[in-house]
mmCIF file of all heavy atoms in Angstrom:
data_model
loop_
_atom_site.group_PDB
_atom_site.id
_atom_site.type_symbol
_atom_site.label_atom_id
_atom_site.label_comp_id
_atom_site.label_asym_id
_atom_site.label_seq_id
_atom_site.Cartn_x
_atom_site.Cartn_y
_atom_site.Cartn_z
ATOM 1 N N GLU A 289 19.527 2.215 -71.075
ATOM 2 C CA GLU A 289 19.618 0.758 -71.208
ATOM 3 C C GLU A 289 19.358 0.005 -69.909
ATOM 4 O O GLU A 289 18.957 -1.165 -69.951
ATOM 5 C CB GLU A 289 21.001 0.395 -71.744
ATOM 6 C CG GLU A 289 21.246 0.874 -73.166
ATOM 7 C CD GLU A 289 22.653 0.596 -73.659
ATOM 8 O OE1 GLU A 289 23.480 0.126 -72.832
ATOM 9 O OE2 GLU A 289 22.943 0.844 -74.842
ATOM 10 N N HIS A 290 19.593 0.638 -68.766
ATOM 11 C CA HIS A 290 19.560 -0.107 -67.509
ATOM 12 C C HIS A 290 18.651 0.468 -66.417
ATOM 13 O O HIS A 290 17.937 -0.289 -65.758
ATOM 14 C CB HIS A 290 20.979 -0.221 -66.936
ATOM 15 C CG HIS A 290 21.875 -1.128 -67.709
ATOM 16 N ND1 HIS A 290 21.806 -2.502 -67.614
ATOM 17 C CD2 HIS A 290 22.869 -0.863 -68.598
ATOM 18 C CE1 HIS A 290 22.709 -3.052 -68.400
ATOM 19 N NE2 HIS A 290 23.372 -2.078 -69.016
ATOM 20 N N MET A 291 18.675 1.778 -66.199
ATOM 21 C CA MET A 291 17.968 2.324 -65.045
ATOM 22 C C MET A 291 16.453 2.230 -65.216
ATOM 23 O O MET A 291 15.722 1.960 -64.250
ATOM 24 C CB MET A 291 18.385 3.772 -64.792
ATOM 25 C CG MET A 291 19.890 3.969 -64.601
ATOM 26 S SD MET A 291 20.624 2.902 -63.320
ATOM 27 C CE MET A 291 19.925 3.581 -61.837
ATOM 28 N N THR A 292 15.971 2.444 -66.421
ATOM 29 C CA THR A 292 14.540 2.322 -66.673
ATOM 30 C C THR A 292 14.059 0.902 -66.385
ATOM 31 O O THR A 292 12.970 0.698 -65.831
ATOM 32 C CB THR A 292 14.216 2.703 -68.127
ATOM 33 O OG1 THR A 292 14.677 4.031 -68.381
ATOM 34 C CG2 THR A 292 12.725 2.629 -68.388
ATOM 35 N N LYS A 293 14.897 -0.084 -66.734
ATOM 36 C CA LYS A 293 14.530 -1.481 -66.480
ATOM 37 C C LYS A 293 14.405 -1.761 -64.991
ATOM 38 O O LYS A 293 13.522 -2.517 -64.562
ATOM 39 C CB LYS A 293 15.569 -2.418 -67.099
ATOM 40 C CG LYS A 293 15.575 -2.421 -68.619
ATOM 41 C CD LYS A 293 16.644 -3.361 -69.161
ATOM 42 C CE LYS A 293 16.690 -3.320 -70.673
ATOM 43 N NZ LYS A 293 17.773 -4.188 -71.216
ATOM 44 N N LEU A 294 15.285 -1.164 -64.181
ATOM 45 C CA LEU A 294 15.197 -1.361 -62.736
ATOM 46 C C LEU A 294 13.853 -0.878 -62.205
ATOM 47 O O LEU A 294 13.214 -1.545 -61.382
ATOM 48 C CB LEU A 294 16.329 -0.618 -62.021
ATOM 49 C CG LEU A 294 17.736 -1.199 -62.108
ATOM 50 C CD1 LEU A 294 18.688 -0.370 -61.257
ATOM 51 C CD2 LEU A 294 17.772 -2.659 -61.655
ATOM 52 N N ARG A 295 13.437 0.283 -62.659
ATOM 53 C CA ARG A 295 12.145 0.810 -62.202
ATOM 54 C C ARG A 295 10.999 -0.084 -62.666
ATOM 55 O O ARG A 295 10.047 -0.322 -61.924
ATOM 56 C CB ARG A 295 11.946 2.233 -62.718
ATOM 57 C CG ARG A 295 12.914 3.258 -62.095
ATOM 58 C CD ARG A 295 12.516 4.668 -62.493
ATOM 59 N NE ARG A 295 13.457 5.679 -62.058
ATOM 60 C CZ ARG A 295 13.483 6.227 -60.850
ATOM 61 N NH1 ARG A 295 12.617 5.837 -59.933
ATOM 62 N NH2 ARG A 295 14.362 7.159 -60.546
ATOM 63 N N GLU A 296 11.108 -0.592 -63.897
ATOM 64 C CA GLU A 296 10.070 -1.486 -64.420
ATOM 65 C C GLU A 296 10.000 -2.789 -63.630
ATOM 66 O O GLU A 296 8.946 -3.418 -63.551
ATOM 67 C CB GLU A 296 10.331 -1.776 -65.899
ATOM 68 C CG GLU A 296 10.109 -0.575 -66.801
ATOM 69 C CD GLU A 296 10.539 -0.827 -68.229
ATOM 70 O OE1 GLU A 296 11.213 -1.874 -68.466
ATOM 71 O OE2 GLU A 296 10.220 -0.009 -69.105
ATOM 72 N N GLN A 297 11.142 -3.175 -63.033
ATOM 73 C CA GLN A 297 11.187 -4.385 -62.207
ATOM 74 C C GLN A 297 10.634 -4.147 -60.805
ATOM 75 O O GLN A 297 10.564 -5.073 -59.996
ATOM 76 C CB GLN A 297 12.627 -4.887 -62.115
ATOM 77 C CG GLN A 297 13.182 -5.416 -63.423
ATOM 78 C CD GLN A 297 14.695 -5.568 -63.402
ATOM 79 O OE1 GLN A 297 15.333 -5.424 -62.357
ATOM 80 N NE2 GLN A 297 15.278 -5.856 -64.555
ATOM 81 N N GLY A 298 10.257 -2.921 -60.509
ATOM 82 C CA GLY A 298 9.673 -2.610 -59.212
ATOM 83 C C GLY A 298 10.633 -2.056 -58.184
ATOM 84 O O GLY A 298 10.266 -1.905 -57.011
ATOM 85 N N ILE A 299 11.874 -1.758 -58.587
ATOM 86 C CA ILE A 299 12.823 -1.133 -57.676
ATOM 87 C C ILE A 299 12.437 0.333 -57.522
ATOM 88 O O ILE A 299 12.328 1.064 -58.514
ATOM 89 C CB ILE A 299 14.268 -1.255 -58.192
ATOM 90 C CG1 ILE A 299 14.603 -2.722 -58.502
ATOM 91 C CG2 ILE A 299 15.253 -0.674 -57.191
ATOM 92 C CD1 ILE A 299 14.512 -3.637 -57.313
ATOM 93 N N VAL A 300 12.228 0.770 -56.288
ATOM 94 C CA VAL A 300 11.688 2.107 -56.034
ATOM 95 C C VAL A 300 12.716 2.972 -55.310
ATOM 96 O O VAL A 300 13.279 2.569 -54.292
ATOM 97 C CB VAL A 300 10.398 2.023 -55.189
ATOM 98 C CG1 VAL A 300 9.856 3.420 -54.907
ATOM 99 C CG2 VAL A 300 9.349 1.178 -55.900
ATOM 100 N N TRP A 301 12.943 4.141 -55.854
ATOM 101 C CA TRP A 301 13.754 5.155 -55.166
ATOM 102 C C TRP A 301 13.365 6.515 -55.728
ATOM 103 O O TRP A 301 12.666 6.614 -56.721
ATOM 104 C CB TRP A 301 15.244 4.905 -55.399
ATOM 105 C CG TRP A 301 15.748 5.264 -56.769
ATOM 106 C CD1 TRP A 301 16.207 6.488 -57.207
ATOM 107 C CD2 TRP A 301 15.801 4.401 -57.907
ATOM 108 N NE1 TRP A 301 16.547 6.434 -58.534
ATOM 109 C CE2 TRP A 301 16.321 5.161 -58.992
ATOM 110 C CE3 TRP A 301 15.486 3.057 -58.128
ATOM 111 C CZ2 TRP A 301 16.506 4.627 -60.260
ATOM 112 C CZ3 TRP A 301 15.673 2.533 -59.393
ATOM 113 C CH2 TRP A 301 16.178 3.305 -60.434
ATOM 114 N N GLY A 302 13.814 7.562 -55.086
ATOM 115 C CA GLY A 302 13.638 8.904 -55.619
ATOM 116 C C GLY A 302 12.680 9.753 -54.810
ATOM 117 O O GLY A 302 11.960 9.275 -53.923
ATOM 118 N N TYR A 303 12.684 11.021 -55.134
ATOM 119 C CA TYR A 303 11.852 11.992 -54.421
ATOM 120 C C TYR A 303 10.395 11.559 -54.384
ATOM 121 O O TYR A 303 9.828 11.127 -55.385
ATOM 122 C CB TYR A 303 11.957 13.370 -55.086
ATOM 123 C CG TYR A 303 10.935 14.350 -54.550
ATOM 124 C CD1 TYR A 303 11.175 15.041 -53.362
ATOM 125 C CD2 TYR A 303 9.717 14.537 -55.196
ATOM 126 C CE1 TYR A 303 10.228 15.915 -52.848
ATOM 127 C CE2 TYR A 303 8.772 15.416 -54.693
ATOM 128 C CZ TYR A 303 9.026 16.108 -53.523
ATOM 129 O OH TYR A 303 8.092 16.962 -53.002
ATOM 130 N N ASP A 304 9.800 11.667 -53.208
ATOM 131 C CA ASP A 304 8.374 11.449 -53.027
ATOM 132 C C ASP A 304 7.971 12.162 -51.744
ATOM 133 O O ASP A 304 8.818 12.575 -50.941
ATOM 134 C CB ASP A 304 8.044 9.955 -52.954
ATOM 135 C CG ASP A 304 6.615 9.653 -53.446
ATOM 136 O OD1 ASP A 304 5.792 10.583 -53.450
ATOM 137 O OD2 ASP A 304 6.346 8.496 -53.804
ATOM 138 N N LEU A 305 6.683 12.286 -51.536
ATOM 139 C CA LEU A 305 6.175 13.123 -50.454
ATOM 140 C C LEU A 305 6.650 12.659 -49.082
ATOM 141 O O LEU A 305 6.965 13.482 -48.207
ATOM 142 C CB LEU A 305 4.637 13.148 -50.509
ATOM 143 C CG LEU A 305 3.938 14.278 -49.756
ATOM 144 C CD1 LEU A 305 4.447 15.637 -50.196
ATOM 145 C CD2 LEU A 305 2.428 14.178 -49.972
ATOM 146 N N GLN A 306 6.722 11.337 -48.867
ATOM 147 C CA GLN A 306 7.143 10.843 -47.562
ATOM 148 C C GLN A 306 8.590 11.222 -47.249
ATOM 149 O O GLN A 306 8.946 11.492 -46.092
ATOM 150 C CB GLN A 306 6.947 9.323 -47.448
ATOM 151 C CG GLN A 306 7.760 8.476 -48.401
ATOM 152 C CD GLN A 306 7.061 8.244 -49.714
ATOM 153 O OE1 GLN A 306 6.295 9.090 -50.183
ATOM 154 N NE2 GLN A 306 7.322 7.090 -50.338
ATOM 155 N N TYR A 307 9.433 11.276 -48.287
ATOM 156 C CA TYR A 307 10.826 11.669 -48.073
ATOM 157 C C TYR A 307 10.952 13.175 -47.870
ATOM 158 O O TYR A 307 11.810 13.640 -47.114
ATOM 159 C CB TYR A 307 11.691 11.198 -49.248
ATOM 160 C CG TYR A 307 11.746 9.704 -49.351
ATOM 161 C CD1 TYR A 307 11.252 9.037 -50.464
ATOM 162 C CD2 TYR A 307 12.278 8.935 -48.312
ATOM 163 C CE1 TYR A 307 11.282 7.655 -50.550
ATOM 164 C CE2 TYR A 307 12.310 7.550 -48.390
ATOM 165 C CZ TYR A 307 11.811 6.918 -49.507
ATOM 166 O OH TYR A 307 11.850 5.544 -49.583
ATOM 167 N N LEU A 308 10.102 13.925 -48.550
ATOM 168 C CA LEU A 308 10.053 15.359 -48.287
ATOM 169 C C LEU A 308 9.765 15.619 -46.805
ATOM 170 O O LEU A 308 10.404 16.458 -46.165
ATOM 171 C CB LEU A 308 8.978 16.020 -49.147
ATOM 172 C CG LEU A 308 8.565 17.439 -48.723
ATOM 173 C CD1 LEU A 308 9.720 18.413 -48.918
ATOM 174 C CD2 LEU A 308 7.338 17.905 -49.475
ATOM 175 N N MET A 309 8.803 14.879 -46.257
ATOM 176 C CA MET A 309 8.402 15.106 -44.864
ATOM 177 C C MET A 309 9.553 14.866 -43.899
ATOM 178 O O MET A 309 9.804 15.675 -43.000
ATOM 179 C CB MET A 309 7.216 14.199 -44.524
ATOM 180 C CG MET A 309 5.953 14.490 -45.292
ATOM 181 S SD MET A 309 4.658 13.306 -44.854
ATOM 182 C CE MET A 309 3.533 13.507 -46.237
ATOM 183 N N THR A 310 10.271 13.757 -44.060
ATOM 184 C CA THR A 310 11.388 13.495 -43.145
ATOM 185 C C THR A 310 12.498 14.512 -43.346
ATOM 186 O O THR A 310 13.184 14.902 -42.401
ATOM 187 C CB THR A 310 11.939 12.068 -43.316
ATOM 188 O OG1 THR A 310 12.387 11.877 -44.669
ATOM 189 C CG2 THR A 310 10.888 11.030 -42.949
ATOM 190 N N GLY A 311 12.681 14.976 -44.597
ATOM 191 C CA GLY A 311 13.674 16.009 -44.847
ATOM 192 C C GLY A 311 13.308 17.315 -44.172
ATOM 193 O O GLY A 311 14.148 17.971 -43.541
ATOM 194 N N LEU A 312 12.047 17.709 -44.275
ATOM 195 C CA LEU A 312 11.589 18.931 -43.628
ATOM 196 C C LEU A 312 11.786 18.891 -42.115
ATOM 197 O O LEU A 312 12.110 19.898 -41.489
ATOM 198 C CB LEU A 312 10.105 19.166 -43.937
ATOM 199 C CG LEU A 312 9.739 19.650 -45.343
ATOM 200 C CD1 LEU A 312 8.230 19.644 -45.514
ATOM 201 C CD2 LEU A 312 10.311 21.038 -45.603
ATOM 202 N N LEU A 313 11.584 17.704 -41.548
ATOM 203 C CA LEU A 313 11.688 17.545 -40.102
ATOM 204 C C LEU A 313 13.098 17.158 -39.652
ATOM 205 O O LEU A 313 13.327 16.943 -38.462
ATOM 206 C CB LEU A 313 10.685 16.488 -39.626
ATOM 207 C CG LEU A 313 9.210 16.846 -39.846
ATOM 208 C CD1 LEU A 313 8.310 15.658 -39.515
ATOM 209 C CD2 LEU A 313 8.811 18.061 -39.016
ATOM 210 N N ASN A 314 14.035 17.068 -40.607
ATOM 211 C CA ASN A 314 15.416 16.715 -40.297
ATOM 212 C C ASN A 314 15.497 15.386 -39.555
ATOM 213 O O ASN A 314 16.181 15.242 -38.543
ATOM 214 C CB ASN A 314 16.090 17.824 -39.475
ATOM 215 C CG ASN A 314 17.609 17.705 -39.468
ATOM 216 O OD1 ASN A 314 18.198 17.004 -40.288
ATOM 217 N ND2 ASN A 314 18.234 18.378 -38.519
ATOM 218 N N GLN A 315 14.767 14.400 -40.091
ATOM 219 C CA GLN A 315 14.716 13.071 -39.497
ATOM 220 C C GLN A 315 15.370 12.053 -40.439
ATOM 221 O O GLN A 315 15.367 12.216 -41.661
ATOM 222 C CB GLN A 315 13.270 12.634 -39.238
ATOM 223 C CG GLN A 315 12.542 13.427 -38.176
ATOM 224 C CD GLN A 315 11.113 12.916 -37.963
ATOM 225 O OE1 GLN A 315 10.691 11.947 -38.589
ATOM 226 N NE2 GLN A 315 10.382 13.574 -37.083
ATOM 227 N N HIS A 316 15.871 10.983 -39.840
ATOM 228 C CA HIS A 316 16.354 9.847 -40.629
ATOM 229 C C HIS A 316 15.196 9.318 -41.473
ATOM 230 O O HIS A 316 14.056 9.228 -40.993
ATOM 231 C CB HIS A 316 16.875 8.753 -39.698
ATOM 232 C CG HIS A 316 17.652 7.685 -40.391
ATOM 233 N ND1 HIS A 316 17.055 6.753 -41.219
ATOM 234 C CD2 HIS A 316 18.976 7.394 -40.386
ATOM 235 C CE1 HIS A 316 17.983 5.930 -41.689
ATOM 236 N NE2 HIS A 316 19.152 6.300 -41.208
ATOM 237 N N PRO A 317 15.437 8.950 -42.743
ATOM 238 C CA PRO A 317 14.338 8.519 -43.613
ATOM 239 C C PRO A 317 13.843 7.103 -43.375
ATOM 240 O O PRO A 317 13.046 6.587 -44.177
ATOM 241 C CB PRO A 317 14.948 8.649 -45.010
ATOM 242 C CG PRO A 317 16.399 8.398 -44.801
ATOM 243 C CD PRO A 317 16.721 9.040 -43.464
ATOM 244 N N ARG A 318 14.251 6.450 -42.292
ATOM 245 C CA ARG A 318 13.854 5.037 -42.111
ATOM 246 C C ARG A 318 12.337 4.881 -42.064
ATOM 247 O O ARG A 318 11.795 3.880 -42.569
ATOM 248 C CB ARG A 318 14.493 4.460 -40.849
ATOM 249 C CG ARG A 318 14.144 5.135 -39.553
ATOM 250 C CD ARG A 318 14.747 4.390 -38.349
ATOM 251 N NE ARG A 318 16.192 4.351 -38.392
ATOM 252 C CZ ARG A 318 16.995 5.281 -37.847
ATOM 253 N NH1 ARG A 318 16.454 6.347 -37.266
ATOM 254 N NH2 ARG A 318 18.295 5.163 -37.907
ATOM 255 N N THR A 319 11.627 5.852 -41.469
ATOM 256 C CA THR A 319 10.163 5.748 -41.415
ATOM 257 C C THR A 319 9.563 5.896 -42.805
ATOM 258 O O THR A 319 8.598 5.209 -43.159
ATOM 259 C CB THR A 319 9.580 6.815 -40.489
ATOM 260 O OG1 THR A 319 10.061 8.115 -40.892
ATOM 261 C CG2 THR A 319 9.966 6.558 -39.042
ATOM 262 N N ALA A 320 10.138 6.771 -43.614
ATOM 263 C CA ALA A 320 9.648 6.955 -44.980
ATOM 264 C C ALA A 320 9.967 5.741 -45.842
ATOM 265 O O ALA A 320 9.179 5.374 -46.726
ATOM 266 C CB ALA A 320 10.264 8.215 -45.578
#
Side-chain angles (χ1 to χ4, degrees):
E289 294 176 354
H290 290 283
M291 304 307 291
T292 303
K293 291 179 182 177
L294 286 184
R295 292 189 186 277
E296 291 173 349
Q297 292 165 8
I299 307 299
V300 179
W301 74 87
Y303 170 82
D304 208 339
L305 198 55
Q306 63 272 31
Y307 295 117
L308 165 66
M309 295 177 198
T310 59
L312 286 172
L313 296 172
N314 197 16
Q315 293 181 2
H316 192 289
R318 60 175 62 90
T319 54

